[in-house]
């Protein structure tokens, strides 16, 4: 991966993590880095599941099913994190 891809993955992960925390409100006591990690991991899990549901168009940079599943994956990870605490 190039540096730009790492940076964009971190930004998208942070946004997905923020959306997941907004969908599932409550006191999580996690910082920016953990929010980003949850978003990135949720993106990997959700993106994989989204690609199983509907394959992205060849050469597409954005996959709506993958993005929505990224948020759902991050929500699931946030629920698991809350249950472990």
């Amino acid at each position: 991966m190039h540096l730009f891809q790492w940076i964009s993955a971190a930004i998208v992960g942070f946004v997905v993590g923020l959306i997941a925390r907004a969908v599932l409100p409550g006191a999580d006591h996690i910082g920016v880095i953990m929010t980003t990690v949850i978003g990135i991991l949720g993106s990997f899990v959700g993106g994989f599941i989204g690609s199983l549901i509907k394959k992205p168009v060849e050469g597409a940079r954005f996959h709506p099913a993958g993005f929505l599943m990224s948020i759902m994956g991050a929500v699931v990870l946030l629920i698991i994190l809350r249950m472990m605490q």
Side-chain angles (χ1 to χ4, degrees), residues 10-77:
I11 292 170
V12 169
F14 179 67
V15 170
V16 168
L18 282 179
I19 293 171
R21 289 183 68 187
V23 168
L24 205 66
D28 291 316
H29 304 295
I30 59 175
V32 173
I33 294 175
M34 194 62 180
T35 300
T36 305
V37 169
I38 287 174
I40 290 172
L41 292 176
S43 291
F44 281 120
V45 171
F48 175 72
I49 294 171
S51 68
L52 293 176
I53 294 171
K54 183 176 187 284
K55 299 287 183 199
V57 178
E58 189 70 32
R61 300 190 83 173
F62 179 73
H63 188 229
F67 184 71
L68 294 175
M69 291 303 294
S70 295
I71 295 170
M72 294 307 297
V75 167
V76 169
L77 289 175

